[in-house]
Amino acid sequence: MKQPVRKAILPVGGLGTRFLPATKAMPKEMLPVVDKPLIQYAVEEARAAGIEDIIFVTGRGKTAIEDHFDHSYELESTLAARGKTETLEELRSVLPEEGQFSYTRQQVPLGLGHAVWCARNLVGDEPFAVMLADDLVHAPTPCLKQMVEAYDEVGGNLVAVMDVPRAHTNRYGILDPGAERGRLVAIQGLVEKPAPEKAPSTLSIIGRYILQPAVFRHLSDRAPGAGGEIQLTDAMAKMIGKMPFHGYRFSGVRYDCGDKVGFLAANIALSLDRADLRDGIKSFIRSLDLNT
Ligand code: G1P
C-alpha cells in the first residue's frame, strides 16, 4: 500500500505581470474563468482527488486569496436577509474546515523549486501534490484524481504530461521518455525549458505533480537552473533512477491561463459547458464575422 497523498502545495507567489493592469491590485490566481477564480478550480480539483490539507505559498499582495477562502460575514448576512440561500450555500461550500488551509510566504521570488521548498516544514515526510493554478485542466475526471489513481498503482513520482509543438519546448519542463504503458511514460531524463533543437522530446510537464518528500533535500541545494531560478524540474531530475518516476498522459483539455489566449479560450470553453450560458455564448459566437 502506497502512502496516501494527503497534502497539496499551491504556489501562488507569482506577480502575474502578463495580465497587467488587471493584476496590479489583484492576484492573478483570482482572475475568474466564467464566474470562479482560477484558484478555486485548483482547490476543487485537489478536494476531488482526496487532498485534505492545502498549503498556499503566497507572496506580498495575495491576501485576497486568504479572504476568498474565509467567511465574509457582511456578504453572508446580506445574502441571508435577501433569501439567496442557494448562493449562500455555494459560497460556504468553498470554505475549508478550520485548519485545513495553511499559508506560508515565499519572501523572495527565486523560482518554482524555491516556492515548493518554502512549504517543506508544512508537508513533512510524506508524498504530496503540487498544483499550478495557471494550468486549468477541464476533464470529466479531474486531472489530479486521475493521477492519484495511477500513483496508487506505481508510486514514486508522477508528473502530468502532454505533447506540445516543438517550437514551444522552451516554455516547459521536457521529458526524455522511456517505455510507455497505457497513459504512463517512464522518465529517463528531465530538462527545464530546452531550446526546440535540443529538446529530447515534445512531451511537456504541465502543472500537476505528485512527489516524494526526498525532493526537498535536492531543493535545499538551491542550485540555480534555467533562467537563473531554482527549478523544480532540476530537483526532480535527481530522483530519476532512485524510485519510480513517470509521466502521466492525463485525459482532458489543459488551458494555459497564464497566457491571454489560453485564458480567454478557457472562458469560452467552460462557458459553453454551462447549461445556463451555452445558448447565449453560442449565439454570440455565431453572430461574429470571423472572416475579418
Ligand atoms: C513551470 C515549470 C515547468 C512546467 C510549467 C507548466 O514553468 O518550471 O517545468 O512545464 O510550469 O506550466 P513556468 O510556467 O512557471 O515558467
Side-chain angles (χ1 to χ4, degrees):
M1 187 59 193
K2 315 277 173 317
Q3 218 184 333
V5 185
R6 300 185 307 120
K7 299 183 177 178
I9 302 176
L10 273 59
V12 293
L15 287 177
T17 48
R18 279 194 276 175
F19 279 90
L20 284 169
T23 49
K24 185 179 171 202
M26 179 181 87
K28 64 173 173 156
E29 296 78 11
M30 290 302 293
L31 289 171
V33 170
V34 186
D35 51 9
K36 236 185 335 194
L38 273 169
I39 194 69
Q40 194 176 324
Y41 287 92
V43 164
E44 288 176 1
E45 187 181 325
R47 284 180 174 150
I51 299 289
E52 294 160 16
D53 293 348
I54 296 184
I55 301 151
F56 296 86
V57 182
T58 70
R60 285 173 289 280
K62 297 282 180 169
T63 46
I65 296 176
E66 291 179 52
D67 292 340
H68 184 71
F69 294 108
D70 197 356
H71 284 287
S72 169
Y73 287 110
E74 194 181 348
L75 178 63
E76 288 174 35
S77 64
T78 307
L79 290 172
R82 291 186 185 162
K84 298 204 182 271
T85 41
E86 218 174 287
T87 314
L88 189 56
E89 280 316 304
E90 207 184 310
L91 285 186
R92 285 188 176 151
S93 71
V94 177
L95 298 182
E97 217 175 273
E98 292 90 332
Q100 279 187 328
F101 286 10
S102 320
Y103 300 86
T104 187
R105 273 200 186 189
Q106 182 188 24
Q107 288 144 305
V108 275
L110 298 180
L112 176 61
H114 178 256
V116 168
W117 181 78
C118 287
R120 66 200 179 284
N121 293 345
L122 292 164
V123 171
D125 193 24
E126 58 180 282
F128 61 97
V130 176
M131 304 176 75
L132 307 183
D134 277 1
D135 281 323
L136 179 60
V137 185
H138 194 41
T141 304
C143 182
L144 192 65
K145 184 172 166 51
Q146 298 175 37
M147 291 173 71
V148 164
E149 283 165 9
Y151 170 81
D152 285 341
E153 192 198 324
V154 291
N157 299 296
L158 206 62
V159 290
V161 294
M162 63 182 266
D163 273 302
V164 298
R166 184 159 278 274
H168 294 175
T169 57
N170 57 2
R171 302 180 188 175
Y172 299 96
I174 302 288
L175 268 59
D176 180 358
E180 301 217 11
R181 186 169 59 86
R183 293 188 173 277
L184 291 166
V185 187
I187 297 182
Q188 304 184 140
L190 284 171
V191 42
E192 179 69 8
K193 302 195 170 85
E197 63 280 8
K198 292 203 177 131
S201 76
T202 55
L203 212 46
S204 305
I205 302 173
I206 66 123
R208 300 289 182 277
Y209 308 72
I210 293 178
L211 299 173
Q212 297 302 317
V215 75
F216 292 125
R217 265 203 322 272
H218 301 299
L219 288 169
S220 301
D221 297 346
R222 299 172 73 100
E229 296 190 340
I230 300 171
Q231 297 290 357
L232 182 58
T233 303
D234 296 342
M236 293 192 306
K238 295 192 178 134
M239 297 189 285
I240 298 170
K242 300 197 174 109
M243 58 184 84
F245 206 145
H246 293 91
Y248 180 81
R249 290 183 193 266
F250 62 97
S251 131
V253 183
R254 171 256 187 180
Y255 296 94
D256 176 7
C257 292
D259 167 79
K260 282 176 197 161
V261 172
F263 173 73
L264 295 169
N267 270 285
I268 296 167
L270 271 68
S271 57
L272 286 171
D273 208 39
R274 282 264 298 256
D276 56 333
L277 302 174
R278 188 180 306 130
D279 291 345
I281 298 294
K282 269 190 182 171
S283 75
F284 168 67
I285 292 173
R286 277 196 207 101
S287 76
L288 295 174
D289 180 0
L290 295 175
N291 296 318
T292 55

